[in-house]
Amino acid sequence: MRVYAQSVPLKGKVTDQAGNPVIGATIKIQHSSKGTTVGADGTFEISVEANAVLEVTAIGFDPARVNVANQTTVTITLTENKKELNEVVVTALGVKREKRALTYSTQEVKGATLVEAKEPNIVNALSGKVAGVQITSSSGTPGSSSRIVIRGATSFYGENQALIIVDGVPVNNDETGNLNSGPGTNRLADIDPAIIENISVLKGAAATALYGSAGARGVIMITTKSGSAVTKKPSVTFSQDVSFETPWLPEVQDKYAQGEYNTDTKQYEYFNGEDKKTSSSWGPLMDTLTVNGQKLKKYNQSKDFFKTGITSNSTVSVNGGNGLSDYFMSYSYLKQTGTTPKTDYDRHALFAKYNTKILNNLTSTFQLNYSSSQNDRLPEGYILEAPIWTVLTAPISWNPLPYENADGTQRVFRYSRNNPYWVLDNIYNKATVNRFIPVVTLHYTPTNWLTITERMGADIYSEQDKYRESRGSSANPAGRIIEQNLNYRQFNHDFIVNATKDVGDFNLNLLLGNNVYSAYNQTEYAKGTGLNIDDFDNIGQASAIAYNETHYQSRKVGFYAQANIDWKRMFILSLTGRYDGSSVLSQDKSFYPYGSVAGSFVFSELLSPAVTDVMNFGKIRLSYATVGNDNVRPYQLNTPYQLPQGSGDASGVAGIIFTNYAFPFQGQTGYLLSQTLGNPNLKNERLNEFEVGLETNFFRNRLGLEASYFVRKTKDGIIPGVPIAPSTGYAGTTVNSAQMQNKGLEILLNAKPVQSKDFSWDMTINFTRIRNKVLAIYNGQSQIGNGFTSIIVGQPYGAIVGTLFKRTASGQLLIDDAGLPFSDSTGVIGDINPDWMGGISNTFRYKQFSLSFLFDMKKGGDIQNNVDGYGYFYGTPKATEDRADRVVEGINASDNKANTTVVTGQDYWRRLSAVTESVIQDGTYVKLRTISLSYDFGRSLFPNSFVRSASFIVTGRNLWIYSPHFTGGDPEVSSFGSSSGSQGIYSFSTPTSRSVNFTLKVSF
C-alpha cells in the first residue's frame, strides 16, 4: 500500500533583523521545484508536506533553511550580510557578476523606478538618476526624441549617444520620423518601460570594452522581465495610467498692441492686421487704445492655442512558471495627445519571453518585442511653416480666427508666415513604425564550472513618413508632399564560452567570445511640389516629383576575451581584449585591437571586526582602457558620383554644375565625381581612458558612497568633409586627425537614515562634473562648424559662436552715433556644457504608504534663446514691456565720452536682436522632476477574493522649475533634435509640460 504525504497550507513572513519585510525574498521547498516569492509586505503562502524544509534566499542577506514541521504559520528572520556586497548586476554581454567584484563604475536603475517616472520614453525616465549621464529633451511634442550621453562627447561628428543593449543584443536608437524642421523620435521610444526589470549603466571604457567599436560611448544595458522561476500559478497584473499635461510657456508681453513707432509723430501707431499689416507689436498700450470709440479685446494667443494634453497608458501582463519553465507576456497601449492641437503619439507594444530547461544542463530563452506606433506632429522652429513661432510672436490685439478670408485665402496679420490655425488643418507630418526585436539565447552547462552561450538577435523596423503642406502656404504657395520609406535591419550573433574555477585561494574566470554584426538601411524619399487638387494627399498629383533611393550596409566581426582573477575576495584583476574588424574602414586598417586592464582592492577584508561594524565594505579600483570607434558612415573610402544641377534630387538641393546643359540630356543622365574626396586610408578613432574609484558601505549598508574620477582622450578622431585645397579638384575629404579630452568626477551617495518596522527613509544623491576640451582638429585648423555650435581648439566641444558687442578694454559697451550698442566681430559667446549636474531622490515608506520625490539640478550650460532673439525685434518677450525712451549706458565710440543720446525702446530692443550675445542665457535650473504618492492596499481591499494586491498612485512630473537666468519655458530642451550639432538652442519648439498622473494597478 502506498502512503501519500498530506499537504497543509503554510502562511509566513520574511523580515530582516529590524522586523522590516524583505521584499523579493524567494521561498523554495528543499528537494522540490515548488516555491514562491514574498509580497510587498513580506508575507507568503505555500502548501507544504510534513517535515518540509524551506530554503529562503534574498539579495544582501545570508541564505536560511527553516524546518516547518507541524507548523501553520512561521516568521523567518534573515541576517544581513555585513561583510560583503552580494548585489548582482548585469555587465557587458549580459553576464551577471557581483558588484563587489567589479573593477569599473556601473550604476543600476530598477524597472519600478522607471515606471514610477511615468515617462513614455525610457530615456527621459533616467533623468537625474545616474551620475555621469546627461539627458536632454528636444521638445514637448508627443513622441519627440531625447538624447542620452555618458561622460560627455567623445566623437566630433560621429554618434555620441550611448549604445543601447536589450537582453544582450544591440538595438537601434536613431532619430527618425520628421520631414521638416524640428525633432523626430529616438527609436528607443518603441520599447515599453513596463517590461524592464532593470537598467545597468556601464560608464567607462573598461566596463564597455567587450562591446567593440560602439562601446566607447558607454552602454545602457536593459534587462527585461521574466516569469517566476519557481512553481507559481499564472499571475495577471493590470494597470491604467491617465495623466494631464499643461505646457511650460515663455512669458510674453501683454500690454502693447500690434504696430510700429512712427518717427514723424513720435508715437507708437496701431496696425489692425487687416488692411494695415506688420509683424511687430510695437503699438500703443491696449488699456488706452480705442478704435471707432470701442476698446479693443485683448487675446492671450498662447492660452487660446495650446490645450491640456492627455496621456492614457493601459498595460496588462501575465507571468508564471513551474520550476522548469517560466513565461512573461505583456501588452500595452499608449495614447498621448499633445498640448499643441493635431499632435499625438499612439503605441501598441507586445512582449513575450519564455525560458525553459530543455535538459538538465541546457536552457533556452525565446523572446519577441513588437511595437507599432503612429506619430502626428507639426513643424517646429523658426521656419515659416511652424505655428508655434507665430503663436508666440502674434500681437495680443489680433484675432487669428477665422483663419480664411472670404475668397478662401489665408487670413494673416503680416505679409509672411502662416496663420497657426490654418496650419492645423493644412500641414501635417505623420510617421508610422512597425518594429520587431526577436532574441534567442541558449545556455549549455556541460560542467558546473563551464557555460557556453549562443545568442542570436535582430532589430527590424519599417517606417512610413508623410508630410503634406497645402496650397496657399506662405512658405510654399504651390504646396508640397514628401513621402519617405525606411527599412532597417540589424542582426547580431554572439558565441560565448565562460569558465569559472576555484583554485586554492583564487577564483578564476575566463570568457572567450565571437561577435558578428550587420546593419542595413534603405531610404526611399520622394518630394512632389505644385499640388493641383486640394485635400487629395497623393504625391502623384504633384506637378514636379523628385525621387531618391539610398542603401547603406555595414558589417563588423569581433573576437574578445576577458580574464578575471580574484584572490581571497580581496584582490581582483580583470584583463580584457578585443580584435574588431569593420567594413567602413580601410582594408589595410579594418581590423584593430584594443583592451583594458583593471584592478580592485577590497581593503575592508583587512579591517578588524570592530572597524567593519562601522565600515562593512571598502574597495579601491583602478583601470586603464583603450577602445576603438568606427564612427563614420559607410562608403567614405571612395569618391562617389552625384547628379549634376538640373537632374534634381530628393532633397531639392541642386547638384554641381559641369556643363551648360540640363540633365537628363537627350535621354541620358550625367554624373560627376563628388566634390568630397574619399579617403581609402581611414582607420578607427581611438579612445584612451584612465579611471580611479572608491566604493564604501557603512553601518550595515545603511550608508554607501561611490566616487569615480576619469580622464579620457580621443585620438585619430574622424572628421568628414574637412576643407582641403581647391587645387586638388575637391572641396573636402574625411580624415583621422581630431583630438579631444574629457576629465570628470562622479559621486553617488546612498543612505537609509531611518529604518524601522513601519517606517523607512531612503535617499540617493548623485553629482557629476565633467570638463571637456578640443585639443586638435586638422593641419593647424582652429575652428570648424557643427550645426548650431562650433568645434574650436582650446574650447569645450559645443562652443556657441556669434556676434559680440563691441566693448572697451575695461568691458564697457561702445555706443554708436545713433546711441545704440553695436557689433563688429564674431567669437565664442557661450558653452553648452554644464559646470555640474546632480540629482537628489528621497523615498519615504510608512506601512502601506509610499512618498517619493526627485530633484534634478544643472549648474551652467549656455542656451541660445532664439524665442527672445526674434522676439526682441517684434516686441513680444516680457522684457520688451520696458519700452520707454532711454540712454544706453556706455562709451561713445566717436569721442570716447559717456553716451548721452536718447533712443526709443523699439530701437534698443531691435538692436539687441541683431547681436547674438544678447540672447545667450545661463541654463542653470532646479527641477522637481517627479513626486509620487502611492498606497498599497495589499489584500485588504478584497480580503476574500481572487485579487492578490491593488495599489493607487498619484504622480506629478516637472511640477516646478527654477531657472533664474533663463526666460523661456523649460531650459532642458534642444529644439532641433538629439544630434550633437543640435544642442544648446531654444527656438520655438513645442513646450515641455508639467503633468499629473493617476495610476491604478491590480494583480490577480
Side-chain angles (χ1 to χ4, degrees):
M1 183 178 70
R2 179 176 297 177
V3 179
Y4 292 92
Q6 185 176 4
S7 296
V8 296
L10 173 70
K11 295 183 177 181
K13 186 173 184 178
V14 180
T15 68
D16 59 18
Q17 291 173 304
N20 302 306
V22 180
I23 302 172
T26 299
I27 315 295
K28 186 177 180 182
I29 300 175
Q30 192 177 38
H31 307 307
S32 168
S33 62
K34 290 181 64 177
T36 187
T37 55
V38 305
D41 57 356
T43 61
F44 68 92
E45 293 183 18
I46 192 171
S47 295
V48 299
E49 298 176 356
N51 299 319
V53 176
L54 300 185
E55 296 177 340
V56 187
T57 58
I59 293 176
F61 295 86
D62 292 329
R65 290 184 180 180
V66 181
N67 191 320
V68 293
N70 303 318
Q71 298 184 60
T72 57
T73 61
V74 64
T75 298
I76 302 170
T77 301
L78 296 184
T79 302
E80 192 173 5
N81 194 306
K82 304 177 185 178
K83 200 170 184 181
E84 60 187 45
L85 286 177
N86 283 333
E87 182 183 359
V88 176
V89 296
V90 180
T91 64
L93 302 174
V95 176
K96 293 182 179 180
R97 296 186 63 196
E98 285 186 276
K99 184 172 173 59
R100 66 166 300 283
L102 298 183
T103 54
Y104 46 76
S105 176
T106 182
Q107 187 174 338
E108 187 175 76
V109 179
K110 299 294 184 183
T113 304
L114 297 173
V115 174
E116 186 180 78
K118 303 304 176 186
E119 288 277 5
N121 193 319
I122 297 170
V123 174
N124 290 334
L126 290 171
S127 293
K129 296 181 175 70
V130 184
V133 174
Q134 182 176 7
I135 292 169
T136 308
S137 301
S138 59
S139 165
T141 292
S144 287
S145 64
S146 294
R147 171 181 169 88
I148 180 167
V149 175
I150 299 176
R151 291 189 171 179
T154 57
S155 184
F156 279 54
Y157 288 94
E159 182 61 80
N160 278 308
Q161 294 197 73
L163 172 68
I164 309 297
I165 303 291
V166 176
D167 290 328
V169 175
V171 297
N172 180 270
N173 191 33
D174 287 349
E175 183 178 16
T176 64
N178 197 347
L179 298 178
N180 204 337
S181 177
T185 300
N186 67 298
R187 294 272 54 97
L188 193 57
D190 298 329
I191 296 178
D192 177 17
I195 69 170
I196 296 176
E197 181 68 29
N198 59 65
I199 290 180
S200 291
V201 181
L202 308 183
K203 303 173 187 178
T208 63
L210 286 178
Y211 274 111
S213 302
R217 313 189 306 259
V219 177
I220 302 296
M221 294 280 302
I222 297 175
T223 301
T224 59
K225 293 180 179 178
S226 297
S228 173
V230 295
T231 301
K232 186 177 181 181
K233 295 180 181 179
S235 173
V236 179
T237 300
F238 172 77
S239 68
Q240 176 64 55
D241 295 357
V242 178
S243 64
F244 303 92
E245 291 96 20
T246 55
W248 280 102
L249 295 167
E251 284 192 281
V252 296
Q253 67 88 10
D254 62 353
K255 293 183 177 180
Y256 295 93
Q258 184 177 7
E260 296 274 355
Y261 182 77
N262 190 317
T263 55
D264 295 330
T265 63
K266 307 297 183 183
Q267 298 289 329
Y268 288 102
E269 182 181 350
Y270 169 65
F271 286 43
N272 62 17
E274 304 294 341
D275 59 324
K276 201 171 185 181
K277 300 179 184 294
T278 180
S279 303
S280 302
S281 294
W282 292 107
L285 273 169
M286 287 288 292
D287 292 344
T288 59
L289 178 62
T290 58
V291 177
N292 298 325
Q294 299 293 320
K295 190 174 182 179
L296 286 184
K297 181 180 178 180
K298 184 188 294 186
Y299 295 91
N300 187 325
Q301 305 289 0
S302 294
K303 184 178 180 181
D304 294 342
F305 183 79
F306 293 103
K307 62 178 184 177
T308 299
I310 300 176
T311 300
S312 171
N313 190 20
S314 307
T315 302
V316 60
S317 65
V318 57
N319 80 90
N322 61 10
L324 296 177
S325 302
D326 64 78
Y327 57 88
F328 176 82
M329 294 180 289
S330 173
Y331 166 77
S332 70
Y333 173 55
L334 172 74
K335 182 174 182 59
Q336 186 177 12
T337 59
T339 56
T340 299
K342 301 293 181 75
T343 62
D344 55 66
Y345 179 69
D346 289 8
R347 181 187 68 203
H348 296 267
L350 178 65
F351 177 76
K353 180 189 283 189
Y354 179 67
N355 299 297
T356 186
K357 183 179 287 187
I358 301 173
L359 302 171
N360 286 335
N361 55 5
L362 178 62
T363 62
S364 64
T365 301
F366 302 89
Q367 65 187 71
L368 174 66
N369 194 347
Y370 167 73
S371 65
S372 174
S373 64
Q374 180 167 312
N375 194 191
D376 295 315
R377 62 175 71 243
L378 293 170
E380 301 180 49
Y382 45 69
I383 60 171
L384 297 179
E385 302 93 309
I388 295 172
W389 196 105
T390 316
V391 170
L392 296 182
T393 59
I396 60 174
S397 59
W398 187 71
N399 182 6
L401 295 173
Y403 63 72
E404 285 184 340
N405 296 309
D407 60 0
T409 59
Q410 268 203 76
R411 179 174 167 268
V412 295
F413 68 86
R414 50 180 294 166
Y415 292 109
S416 65
R417 293 197 176 272
N418 295 317
N419 184 306
Y421 294 91
W422 182 91
V423 171
L424 297 181
D425 289 339
N426 291 277
I427 296 180
Y428 68 72
N429 192 136
K430 295 181 181 292
T432 302
V433 178
N434 286 280
R435 188 175 191 179
F436 298 84
I437 305 177
V439 181
V440 178
T441 306
L442 300 174
H443 292 289
Y444 176 57
T445 309
T447 68
N448 60 2
W449 55 269
L450 180 66
T451 301
I452 300 172
T453 301
E454 184 169 25
R455 182 186 296 119
M456 296 158 284
D459 184 2
I460 304 168
Y461 69 82
S462 63
E463 178 171 338
Q464 293 179 302
D465 304 322
K466 188 164 189 174
Y467 175 83
R468 194 280 307 269
E469 188 173 350
S470 297
R471 291 187 299 178
S473 170
S474 296
N476 297 279
R480 58 175 174 161
I481 291 177
I482 302 173
E483 292 191 355
Q484 177 176 265
N485 292 323
L486 302 178
N487 289 293
Y488 181 86
R489 299 192 297 269
Q490 178 177 293
F491 299 98
N492 188 84
H493 177 268
D494 278 291
F495 183 79
I496 306 168
V497 178
N498 194 353
T500 303
K501 194 79 171 176
D502 289 326
V503 180
D505 292 333
F506 290 90
N507 176 267
L508 307 177
N509 172 257
L510 177 63
L511 182 147
L512 302 173
N514 166 246
N515 172 255
V516 178
Y517 168 92
S518 66
Y520 173 79
N521 195 328
Q522 178 192 30
T523 303
E524 298 173 333
Y525 184 105
K527 178 181 178 181
T529 56
L531 306 185
N532 301 305
I533 306 172
D534 292 334
D535 301 323
F536 182 50
D537 296 350
N538 190 310
I539 196 171
Q541 66 145 317
S543 301
I545 301 175
Y547 175 84
N548 189 34
E549 182 178 359
T550 59
H551 301 258
Y552 294 99
Q553 187 165 15
S554 62
R555 296 186 179 93
K556 298 178 187 178
V557 60
F559 304 90
Y560 48 83
Q562 184 179 63
N564 297 298
I565 304 170
D566 189 331
W567 183 70
K568 289 188 174 182
R569 300 180 63 80
M570 183 166 56
F571 291 99
I572 300 103
L573 175 66
S574 180
L575 304 173
T576 300
R578 178 153 178 155
Y579 191 60
D580 255 4
S582 174
S583 65
V584 301
L585 301 177
S586 165
Q587 276 192 327
D588 296 335
K589 300 173 182 178
S590 60
F591 279 87
Y592 44 97
Y594 52 89
S596 67
V597 55
S600 62
F601 169 41
V602 184
F603 60 85
S604 55
E605 293 288 331
L606 301 178
L607 301 178
S608 66
V611 177
T612 55
D613 280 343
V614 178
M615 177 187 283
N616 45 281
F617 180 80
K619 180 175 73 174
I620 296 174
R621 47 183 171 77
L622 190 69
S623 67
Y624 180 81
T626 176
V627 296
N629 198 353
D630 60 341
N631 229 336
V632 65
R633 294 180 65 184
Y635 316 127
Q636 301 300 305
L637 304 177
N638 301 314
T639 306
Y641 287 89
Q642 72 177 54
L643 292 169
Q645 186 177 20
S647 296
D649 63 14
S651 65
V653 178
I656 57 176
I657 300 174
F658 66 96
T659 77
N660 292 323
Y661 299 99
F663 281 80
F665 179 70
Q666 296 184 351
Q668 298 296 316
T669 300
Y671 294 88
L672 191 69
L673 281 171
S674 168
Q675 290 185 303
T676 300
L677 176 67
N679 183 354
N681 300 311
L682 281 179
K683 58 183 179 181
N684 61 292
E685 296 180 338
R686 178 72 65 176
L687 178 72
N688 300 326
E689 183 180 75
F690 166 81
E691 179 180 341
V692 60
L694 171 69
E695 297 177 25
T696 58
N697 272 351
F698 300 88
F699 312 117
R700 298 182 180 180
N701 297 334
R702 295 278 293 274
L703 179 65
L705 172 67
E706 181 174 343
S708 299
Y709 174 77
F710 65 88
V711 179
R712 50 171 43 180
K713 185 176 181 180
T714 301
K715 300 179 65 177
D716 299 323
I718 297 174
I719 302 182
V722 66
I724 57 177
S727 58
T728 63
Y730 298 92
T733 189
T734 302
V735 296
N736 287 104
S737 60
Q739 294 184 38
M740 180 164 50
Q741 180 177 270
N742 284 313
K743 296 181 179 180
L745 174 66
E746 300 164 354
I747 298 175
L748 178 66
L749 179 69
N750 292 293
K752 190 181 287 289
V754 180
Q755 185 178 21
S756 65
K757 182 178 179 179
D758 293 330
F759 181 75
S760 67
W761 172 19
D762 294 277
M763 180 172 62
T764 300
I765 301 174
N766 70 77
F767 172 84
T768 304
R769 181 184 185 274
I770 298 175
R771 293 294 179 266
N772 174 280
K773 181 185 288 188
V774 176
L775 304 178
I777 298 178
Y778 172 69
N779 276 356
Q781 192 169 357
S782 61
Q783 182 173 336
I784 192 169
N786 183 30
F788 293 102
T789 59
S790 293
I791 300 170
I792 303 173
V793 174
Q795 293 287 335
Y797 179 83
I800 303 175
V801 173
T803 50
L804 294 155
F805 285 112
K806 185 70 173 178
R807 298 178 184 272
T808 66
S810 61
Q812 291 179 285
L813 287 174
L814 282 173
I815 308 298
D816 61 18
D817 290 337
L820 296 168
F822 63 96
S823 172
D824 67 351
S825 64
T826 60
V828 176
I829 54 178
D831 172 16
I832 67 173
N833 299 283
D835 298 330
W836 56 266
M837 302 175 294
I840 302 175
S841 66
N842 288 271
T843 300
F844 300 91
R845 292 184 179 89
Y846 176 70
K847 293 185 177 180
Q848 292 164 283
F849 286 96
S850 178
L851 173 66
S852 63
F853 53 89
L854 168 65
F855 283 97
D856 182 17
M857 292 151 280
K858 186 185 78 167
K859 172 67 171 64
D862 293 320
I863 300 171
Q864 182 175 326
N865 188 339
N866 272 4
V867 175
D868 278 3
Y870 284 92
Y872 287 164
F873 183 88
Y874 299 117
T876 52
K878 190 70 173 178
T880 62
E881 286 184 353
D882 176 14
R883 52 186 61 184
D885 292 349
R886 71 201 63 205
V887 175
V888 181
E889 185 177 347
I891 302 300
N892 187 281
S894 298
D895 58 15
N896 290 323
K897 295 181 179 179
N899 176 50
T900 57
T901 303
V902 178
V903 296
T904 65
Q906 176 177 304
D907 288 341
Y908 170 74
W909 289 110
R910 284 188 166 177
R911 176 57 59 88
L912 292 191
S913 75
V915 183
T916 320
E917 182 186 347
S918 67
V919 292
I920 301 300
Q921 298 178 350
D922 183 348
T924 295
Y925 69 77
V926 179
K927 279 189 177 187
L928 178 56
R929 178 75 63 178
T930 57
I931 180 168
S932 179
L933 176 64
S934 67
Y935 181 76
D936 189 344
F937 295 95
R939 288 181 175 270
S940 62
L941 192 62
F942 307 99
N944 299 314
S945 72
F946 56 87
V947 176
R948 296 185 180 183
S949 64
S951 61
F952 182 73
I953 308 167
V954 180
T955 302
R957 189 172 73 241
N958 290 342
L959 296 182
W960 176 75
I961 301 176
Y962 173 69
S963 50
H965 311 294
F966 180 70
T967 58
D970 184 347
E972 189 201 3
V973 69
S974 190
S975 298
F976 295 95
S978 59
S979 68
S980 296
S982 298
Q983 304 307 299
I985 187 164
Y986 175 76
S987 186
F988 302 101
S989 56
T990 300
T992 57
S993 298
R994 57 172 73 85
S995 69
V996 178
N997 180 284
F998 302 92
T999 302
L1000 177 64
K1001 184 176 182 180
V1002 183
S1003 295
F1004 307 96

